[in-house]
Amino acid sequence: MQNQNSYIYYVGFYSKADNPNKFRIFPATNTKMDYIVSAVKEAGFKISIFALGEAQTTKWSFFKRKLIKIDEHEKITYVSTFGAFVSINKFLSRLWLLLQLFFFLSFEVKKSSTVIYYHSFATLGVVRLSKFFNNYRLVYEVEEIFQAAWQGTDKKIKNEINSLKNADAYIFVNDLFASKCGFTEKPSVVCYGDYRIINTNKPIYKSNEVINIVYAGVIGTSDSDVYLAINTMNFLPNNYVLHLLGYGTAVDIVEMELTIKGMNDFFGFVKILFHGRLSGNEYTNFLRNCQIGLSTRVLQNKYSDYTFPSKVLVYLCNNLVTVSSPISCITQSKIASNIFFYELSTPESVCKKILSLKSSDYAKTNNDSIRRLNDNFIKDLKIILNADSR
């Protein structure tokens, strides 16, 4: 059983808002890890975060390892890193990161302590190797099987799943993981995302006035989720406006902006807007002015069963009407009754579902459902962290 006076270790690619070592930021990872940190503390444990990352700057610069105490129950250690402006330095930067991770897990983590490890494909080998040197208790937090998200072969997906079998317990992102991956014999809990309610009030909705739709997430290529949202606007009345928030490669963003400009020129007015990446209060304040959140996931169930769209919880916690694709990881979740599912991944089908929404749908709140998820997760997490399953 975990001594609640000792620390739970938490490892992942993470940074607080101050980001002292200029790490590249992964917004969805940061949000989920923020929530897990708060949940561990609420469950009555102290937490020591080992924050992985590599400096974004391309100029030569060296950042020392930093230890920052947040409060009496939380501290964070940022790994040392350096800016890389040529390929060899980028290679050395990644190698330096892996060496620090191996040393931390093998020699700094106290034996028999619990380590929650946010699953990262690039560091799997280091975690497996460190378990030979240190008898710590490993809890894998599995947000996705990367080979599935990348639509890899069945063999590659199976190999990644097998590489996770050395854990003692799991935090899964959906209800399908345990059975699909063959992990039912070990303790596990499910957490879809951040269960902290951000906006307890409903966004204002008035019939026949402007209805603001938001898509928040990755900006991909022409066959990706964001383009299904964009193309839906060809079929919606003129009082519907789509707001795109997110990030992607420079090439994909330029291509999308050209597509949006062409469509707006065709409409004769601005019906689709791209606002870039928003975070913190700027992000949540923006969502307060929207009525509908779109999760237009186009990934087939064969692959999406190993994922969960983080934007869904963001929409629900901001009390938006959430319209989603009928992928199994959501339809078979405990929040399915809070979601409005369209039938097919076509612009016409998405449009049909949006136009079918009634005033009562816009008035529905998600607060009670989210609070139950939060309370149950903290209760289950406490059991997992106190268990000795090895």
Side-chain angles (χ1 to χ4, degrees):
M1 180 175 290
Q2 178 73 33
N3 181 348
Q4 289 185 300
N5 289 320
S6 61
Y7 281 95
I8 299 290
Y9 296 97
Y10 191 18
V11 183
F13 285 84
Y14 175 75
S15 179
K16 291 286 191 183
D18 57 343
N19 195 11
N21 282 4
K22 310 299 180 188
F23 289 165
R24 178 187 174 193
I25 298 296
F26 301 93
T29 301
N30 257 12
T31 299
K32 186 64 175 284
M33 288 188 68
D34 272 338
Y35 173 67
I36 297 296
V37 169
S38 71
V40 169
K41 292 166 71 175
E42 192 169 345
F45 301 92
K46 298 196 293 185
I47 188 163
S48 176
I49 306 158
F50 192 68
L52 307 178
E54 295 176 276
Q56 297 180 81
T57 178
T58 56
K59 296 180 180 179
W60 170 252
S61 51
F62 180 76
F63 299 91
K64 295 180 180 179
R65 176 168 162 169
K66 295 180 176 66
L67 172 61
I68 299 173
K69 186 175 181 179
I70 306 301
D71 56 39
E72 292 300 318
H73 301 281
E74 178 186 351
K75 60 182 179 180
I76 179 169
T77 300
Y78 292 94
V79 297
S80 170
T81 186
F82 52 87
F85 58 95
V86 292
S87 296
I88 185 63
N89 279 2
K90 292 180 181 178
F91 170 78
L92 292 174
S93 176
R94 176 59 57 86
L95 180 60
W96 178 228
L97 171 67
L98 296 178
L99 287 171
Q100 291 178 87
L101 174 60
F102 174 74
F103 187 86
F104 175 78
L105 291 175
S106 300
F107 305 111
E108 293 188 49
V109 168
K110 296 177 181 179
K111 291 186 182 298
S112 300
S113 294
T114 297
V115 176
I116 303 174
Y117 197 94
Y118 192 109
H119 170 42
S120 167
F121 190 74
T123 59
L124 270 174
V126 173
V127 179
R128 289 173 62 84
L129 185 60
S130 71
K131 284 278 282 178
F132 285 106
F133 290 86
N134 193 358
N135 190 32
Y136 61 84
R137 182 170 180 267
L138 176 60
V139 179
Y140 259 129
E141 180 185 346
V142 188
E143 298 296 326
E144 63 184 341
I145 297 298
F146 290 92
Q147 289 294 347
W150 299 335
Q151 300 183 55
T153 63
D154 290 345
K155 182 178 180 180
K156 288 182 177 180
I157 293 171
K158 185 178 180 180
N159 286 342
E160 184 176 345
I161 291 170
N162 287 338
S163 70
L164 299 172
K165 288 186 175 180
N166 64 322
D168 301 290
Y170 299 90
I171 301 172
F172 291 128
V173 77
N174 69 42
D175 298 279
L176 307 176
F177 254 108
S179 59
K180 286 189 71 72
C181 295
F183 294 150
T184 54
E185 298 301 315
K186 293 185 178 180
S188 66
V189 294
V190 173
C191 181
Y192 307 130
D194 187 345
Y195 297 149
R196 292 171 296 188
I197 298 172
I198 301 167
N199 182 17
T200 57
N201 300 316
K202 289 292 295 182
I204 297 173
Y205 163 76
K206 293 183 180 179
S207 180
N208 298 323
E209 291 192 4
V210 171
I211 296 176
N212 293 296
I213 304 171
V214 61
Y215 168 93
V218 176
I219 307 302
T221 56
S222 60
D223 59 350
S224 65
D225 303 356
V226 67
Y227 278 87
L228 178 53
I230 290 171
N231 292 328
T232 297
M233 299 310 292
N234 285 312
F235 302 92
L236 286 170
N238 292 342
N239 62 314
Y240 289 82
V241 176
L242 175 64
H243 302 273
L244 304 171
L245 310 176
Y247 56 96
T249 68
V251 172
D252 288 340
I253 289 175
V254 168
E255 287 296 320
M256 185 194 67
E257 289 179 325
L258 289 173
T259 299
I260 292 171
K261 184 180 184 304
M263 291 180 67
N264 285 334
D265 288 345
F266 176 79
F267 297 139
F269 60 95
V270 177
K271 195 173 181 179
I272 308 171
L273 302 96
F274 176 54
H275 303 273
R277 178 192 290 181
L278 303 182
S279 60
N281 290 334
E282 187 179 20
Y283 182 28
T284 54
N285 288 337
F286 188 95
L287 294 180
R288 285 188 173 91
N289 295 311
C290 299
Q291 288 77 37
I292 297 173
L294 275 185
S295 178
T296 44
R297 178 62 63 90
V298 297
L299 196 64
Q300 300 174 17
N301 275 331
K302 176 182 178 180
Y303 304 111
S304 64
D305 282 355
Y306 299 101
T307 69
F308 196 94
S310 60
K311 61 174 66 67
V312 170
L313 262 296
V314 174
Y315 298 153
L316 293 179
C317 288
N318 279 277
N319 267 315
L320 300 182
V321 176
T322 303
V323 175
S324 171
S325 56
I327 51 178
S328 297
C329 63
I330 304 180
T331 61
Q332 296 183 41
S333 73
K334 295 179 179 65
I335 56 172
S337 61
N338 298 82
I339 310 293
F340 296 88
F341 295 102
Y342 52 82
E343 294 182 4
L344 303 171
S345 290
T346 65
E348 296 90 341
S349 185
V350 180
C351 170
K352 181 180 178 181
K353 174 51 64 176
I354 290 173
L355 293 180
S356 73
L357 296 171
K358 303 182 290 292
S359 297
S360 57
D361 297 328
Y362 285 99
K364 181 181 178 182
T365 67
N366 307 304
N367 299 338
D368 290 342
S369 297
I370 299 300
R371 288 192 184 100
R372 280 195 298 272
L373 286 173
N374 182 68
D375 293 344
N376 289 334
F377 174 65
I378 291 171
K379 179 179 66 176
D380 293 341
L381 181 65
K382 190 170 185 177
I383 294 172
I384 286 285
L385 296 180
N386 270 323
D388 187 359
S389 57
R390 290 175 300 177

